[in-house]
Amino acid sequence: QVQLVESGGGVVQPGRSLRLSCAASGSTFSHYGMHWVRQVPGKGLEWVAAIWYDGSNKYYADSVKGRFTISRDNSKNTLYLQMNSLRAEDTAVYYCARRPETTAFDVWGQGTMVTVSS
Amino acid sequence: DIVMTQSPDSLAVSLGERATINCKSSQSLFYSSDNKNYLAWYQQRPGQPPKLLIYWASTRESGVPDRFSGSGSGTEFTLTISSLQAEDVAVYYCHQYYSTPYTFGRGTNLEIK
């Protein structure tokens, strides 16, 4: 059973940093592109960032470009999202999701809540 | 960026009746090199992450009941639930994965009438 488990969320002041992790199990993590998607509670889904299976290419939403960095450690089966210069509008549930070449986002984690507030 | 326009925002359907959700993209999601539409549908129940229902516009994910079907090509797509069940109450999102930034529709809140 493929599973993704996010961690690292919490309450942080504006301008501070936070690093999210997404631990994968049950599949060959290094075969898949991975994504972060966020959702303000009660609102819609917003794609945040993507990284290729080998980490060679990374893509970001304009709203986080220059502040967030996506990375992965295939030896640890873990995806990361380093979030710097956090703003109130970054407050959301952050999901990691797997995207094989043959389908769309087929596996999602349960999400981790990030609250940016003074 | 590709804009995904989903309609309606909310929908109330009687049990056993058909539910139809529409999604339009601001540019074609059809990639001619592989003959695929890069369009997916997700179901999200309260307190849960999204669940993939349909990908490549019309391919049902493994384990998804066959009352769920997807159709369309290019810029216009439809998700149909042929006979609504109580467990289908959820928010449904369309999603384009044709190009980054990937984008989602605003969601359709499906309820029982």
Side-chain angles (χ1 to χ4, degrees), chain B residues 49-62:
Chain B
K51 173 188 173 184
L52 178 63
L53 298 175
I54 303 286
Y55 57 97
W56 303 135
S58 60
T59 302
R60 196 179 304 112
E61 174 73 335
S62 176

Side-chain angles (χ1 to χ4, degrees), chain A residues 2-14:
Chain A
V2 179
Q3 192 173 11
L4 300 174
V5 179
E6 302 94 339
S7 61
V11 180
V12 62
Q13 293 179 328

Side-chain angles (χ1 to χ4, degrees), chain A residues 61-62, chain B residues 1-4 26-27 96 99-103:
Chain A
D62 285 347
Chain B
D1 298 2
I2 298 176
V3 176
M4 304 300 289
S26 60
Q27 65 185 72
Q96 69 81 13
S99 65
T100 58
Y102 291 170
T103 47

